[in-house]
Amino acid sequence: MGLTTDPAPPGPLLAPPGTQPPPPTEDPAELRVVPVRHYGRWAAAAAVAVLVAQFVHGLVTNPVWEWHVFADYVLSETIVQAVLVTLQLTAYATVLGFLLGTVLAFMRLSRNPVLQTVAWSYVWVFRSIPMIVQLVFWFNLGALYRELGVGIPFGPVFWSVDSNSLIGTIGAALIGLSLHQAAYAAEIVRGGVLSVDHGQLEAAAALGIPRLRQIRRIVLPQAMRAILPTAGNEIIGLLKGTSVVYVMAIGELFYQVQVVYGRTGRVIPMLMVATAWYVLLTTVLSVAQFYVERRYARGADRTPPPTPLQRLRRLAAAQPVPPPVPRPLKEQP
Amino acid sequence: MSEDQAMVDIRGVHKSFGALEVLRGVDLRLRPGEVTAILGPSGSGKSTLLRTINHLEKVDRGWISIDGELIGYRSVRGRLYELKEKAVLRQRTHIGFVFQDFNLFPHLTVLENLVEAPVSALRRPRAEAQATARRLLERVGLADKAGAYPRQLSGGQQQRVAIARALALEPKVLLFDEPTSALDPELVGEVLDVIKDLARTGTTMIVVTHEIGFAREVADTVVFMDGGVVVEQGPPSAVLDDPSHPRTRAFLAKVL
């Protein structure tokens, strides 16, 4: 994108006073149009460029960054292991959170007042508790319920197990993250379902399509358009949110980084190690989000926009990206 | 008209939305193969009546039956019991409904739009449903659009797809809710042509419409509704050319 834009051609009535029309003898196609020069834009761009250059210069030259320490640790086994733990926590909590969230969303949308109330209350409770407070709660579950068992409600118990050995630290972290995530996922899914045009449900009902099939085949794929951008936010938030579980001494990325700088005292480069990994993982998720969104945009546009890769290939082939196809005025029967 | 001849039988139907009584006792009987056009000013209850026929709206009083089957209810010893959603959905497969704004599924291709209900509601084999769908697309003149998405089509083409989608279930009755009201004027003709073609093949149809000329040409019976009741009904020559009721005359004077 350039720093100048072509101004809209002024209509005859908008011509500034005193402007002379071009000599009538000249061929209009030969007349060159000179765009307005935006000197202010150039000055602002230069100022910002200087600031960016200063910042990058500082990153490279300031010895406190200790880039050699960064290089030593960024791919070390401890750190890579920790990244895997972070990824696992994110993946499981995403899947569990969104599964439970979808169930809660449809409970909230159902006509059953009991289900509605329970779903609303769940969201209310779990959005109210800070994640870290909830995590410590689950960590101390053993103090609250020493044993968990299966049996008749309020009656005899057939099978029971010590709660700490059943759940464990990772389990407690996963439950905490998932339950927390489910409250937000429920609202995201509900918002997506509400965004689907009511006529779609009516058409599906008029065709006699079974209820579950209506949801799975008609409603959810269209709701995904509204769900995905926010869900992408949530998953990326969760990825970084997993760093909170360091309070439970789980060997995820942030915890391991702290262990290393606790031992070596190299705080800044180790924080950069964590930062670099979080940025990388977020980038991967963002790219994935782009392609998933594109998949669910099928049918939403007359011609889907090209992917960045397709753009690159077209550039390489020196083929200009075609302008969007205009809506045909006459139809071809 | 004798009882056993009626394909659609509407008796004493009342319907209110809150304090507003939209239908105030509607009676109509339609023979198999008959085309009925319902005319009337906006707010006269004609769309609501159409929506009660396939139970998109529940009735407050009265009943509707199609081909002898009570819609949305079960009659046991003088009482009407509401049917479960599953049973209502099954009944709807006999009643095709074409909406004013098409309501095609935008994320499915034209062919998938036509195949969805026969496969999921009637459990037809997919290959068979696809073959039927292609035949229907040919019938509405859109055989080459099977792989297109609805938004890639013009309004007239979308409505023709919607008609084909309703036909894919081989319904006993086809209901049209102002099928051309959302279309640009130059696209109205192609949709009406498809409906006329269906009328010739003896499909039982009820068309809520503002197209007086179309009603005159195609309908066997014209029904004029106002204020939630049927004011006048009869062949087009009677209702449109020689209306007996002053309200019908006033309405026709405004729209013609």
Side-chain angles (χ1 to χ4, degrees):
Chain A
M1 205 174 286
L3 285 164
T4 57
T5 48
D6 295 341
L13 288 176
L14 293 173
T19 308
Q20 296 298 315
T25 49
E26 236 175 301
D27 179 8
E30 294 292 310
L31 273 177
R32 210 168 73 86
V33 176
V34 182
V36 178
R37 304 283 181 220
H38 297 278
Y39 299 109
R41 287 186 199 172
W42 286 100
V48 171
V50 168
L51 286 175
V52 171
Q54 272 189 310
F55 175 70
V56 173
H57 180 255
L59 272 186
V60 176
T61 55
N62 189 336
V64 181
W65 290 109
E66 294 187 284
W67 290 107
H68 60 281
V69 178
F70 174 88
D72 284 347
Y73 277 101
V74 72
L75 291 175
S76 68
E77 207 196 323
T78 337
I79 296 298
V80 172
Q81 283 297 330
V83 168
L84 289 180
V85 174
T86 292
L87 278 177
Q88 273 174 0
L89 284 172
T90 309
Y92 288 134
T94 300
V95 171
L96 293 174
F98 272 87
L99 277 181
L100 180 56
T102 307
V103 172
L104 286 165
F106 281 101
M107 281 169 71
R108 180 81 195 280
L109 291 166
S110 82
R111 281 176 220 132
N112 185 328
V114 175
L115 297 190
Q116 276 176 26
T117 312
V118 168
W120 184 88
S121 309
Y122 179 96
V123 173
W124 169 65
V125 167
F126 280 88
R127 283 201 309 200
S128 307
I129 310 173
M131 180 125 95
I132 194 160
V133 175
Q134 211 213 119
L135 284 171
V136 179
F137 249 115
W138 285 106
F139 192 56
N140 292 298
L141 183 71
L144 198 56
Y145 301 103
R146 198 161 299 283
E147 289 195 327
L148 293 177
V150 180
I152 295 168
F154 307 107
V157 175
F158 305 130
W159 175 84
S160 74
V161 64
D162 174 55
S163 53
N164 269 348
S165 69
L166 174 72
I167 292 178
T169 327
I170 293 255
L174 260 184
I175 291 174
L177 289 170
S178 305
L179 295 185
H180 181 82
Q181 199 52 49
Y184 289 90
E187 289 296 277
I188 293 170
V189 173
R190 189 169 70 92
V193 171
L194 289 178
S195 77
V196 177
D197 178 22
H198 184 64
Q200 291 291 310
L201 268 180
E202 239 174 26
L207 286 165
I209 296 170
R211 183 85 183 130
L212 265 177
R213 178 89 179 168
Q214 286 181 24
I215 291 172
R216 232 187 37 181
R217 176 79 167 157
I218 308 297
V219 177
L220 277 181
Q222 295 187 63
M224 285 306 264
R225 294 263 297 152
I227 290 173
L228 281 171
T230 332
N233 259 355
E234 280 297 310
I235 296 170
I236 287 168
L238 183 63
L239 170 77
K240 294 174 295 174
T242 55
S243 58
V244 177
V245 307
Y246 85 93
V247 295
M248 300 158 86
I250 291 171
E252 49 73 49
L253 184 54
F254 185 50
Y255 178 79
Q256 285 301 353
V257 162
Q258 284 178 301
V259 167
V260 172
Y261 71 61
R263 203 174 58 226
T264 62
R266 317 282 185 141
V267 177
I268 299 293
M270 288 316 290
L271 286 178
M272 273 316 271
V273 166
T275 305
W277 273 109
Y278 284 123
V279 168
L280 176 73
L281 297 178
T282 303
T283 310
V284 171
L285 284 176
S286 304
V287 171
Q289 183 187 344
F290 174 85
Y291 281 95
V292 176
E293 277 186 27
R294 197 169 186 281
R295 162 82 169 58
Y296 280 100
R298 273 183 322 173
D301 300 311
R302 297 183 145 242
T303 43
T307 63
L309 242 137
Q310 288 170 334
R311 270 179 224 267
L312 276 178
R313 264 191 229 125
R314 274 180 207 166
L315 266 182
Q319 211 183 328
V321 177
V325 181
R327 187 193 157 107
L329 291 173
K330 290 273 180 206
E331 59 179 283
Q332 324 78 349
Chain B
M1 194 189 307
S2 73
E3 295 262 309
D4 53 2
Q5 267 184 311
M7 173 60 93
V8 180
D9 200 349
I10 301 171
R11 300 284 181 99
V13 163
H14 286 72
K15 173 73 187 175
S16 300
F17 293 115
L20 181 70
E21 199 173 17
V22 183
L23 297 177
R24 300 187 298 170
V26 176
D27 289 278
L28 273 181
R29 267 167 290 284
L30 277 65
R31 288 183 306 261
E34 189 178 25
V35 179
T36 305
I38 303 182
L39 308 177
S42 61
S44 59
K46 50 196 195 308
S47 280
T48 306
L49 176 67
L50 204 66
R51 292 163 59 84
T52 58
I53 296 176
N54 74 346
H55 209 60
L56 279 178
E57 304 287 354
K58 292 171 187 173
V59 300
D60 298 333
R61 264 188 290 155
W63 52 264
I64 294 165
S65 80
I66 289 184
D67 203 11
E69 189 181 352
L70 207 54
I71 296 300
Y73 301 92
R74 197 159 41 93
S75 169
V76 180
R77 273 175 262 113
R79 260 192 211 183
L80 294 184
Y81 292 87
E82 211 177 322
L83 289 178
K84 292 211 160 138
E85 191 184 5
K86 208 172 167 181
V88 175
L89 286 169
R90 194 188 52 75
Q91 288 187 327
R92 289 209 187 108
T93 61
H94 302 308
I95 311 165
F97 200 100
V98 176
F99 294 87
Q100 181 177 345
D101 35 15
F102 332 134
N103 287 340
L104 293 178
F105 305 130
H107 60 301
L108 304 179
T109 63
V110 165
L111 192 71
E112 288 167 338
N113 262 281
L114 265 67
V115 166
E116 178 58 33
V119 168
S120 67
L122 299 181
R123 309 221 158 273
R124 295 262 163 81
R126 185 164 288 272
E128 185 193 314
Q130 282 176 344
T132 312
R134 286 187 194 281
R135 224 172 22 251
L136 288 168
L137 284 177
E138 202 162 322
R139 188 162 165 196
V140 299
L142 293 169
D144 55 329
K145 299 290 184 193
Y149 286 98
R151 291 208 178 113
Q152 295 167 330
L153 305 180
S154 73
Q157 290 172 329
Q158 289 191 48
Q159 192 59 297
R160 279 145 66 196
V161 172
I163 294 171
R165 179 173 74 172
L167 288 171
L169 291 165
E170 293 160 29
K172 294 174 181 170
V173 187
L174 258 183
L175 312 176
F176 294 85
D177 188 9
E178 301 191 22
T180 59
S181 295
L183 296 177
D184 292 340
E186 82 266 25
L187 303 179
V188 169
E190 62 185 79
V191 171
L192 293 185
D193 285 344
V194 168
I195 302 176
K196 281 179 208 164
D197 180 54
L198 290 172
R200 274 194 290 275
T201 60
T203 316
T204 311
M205 296 196 284
I206 306 177
V207 187
V208 169
T209 185
H210 292 295
E211 303 279 339
I212 308 287
F214 167 78
R216 189 196 307 276
E217 187 184 342
V218 177
D220 302 304
T221 308
V222 173
V223 173
F224 177 73
M225 280 183 75
D226 194 13
V229 291
V230 173
V231 173
E232 189 167 355
Q233 60 175 306
S237 54
V239 178
L240 296 176
D241 300 331
D242 186 21
S244 57
H245 200 284
R247 273 194 286 180
T248 318
R249 276 200 289 275
F251 174 75
L252 289 173
K254 257 186 270 175
V255 296
L256 280 178

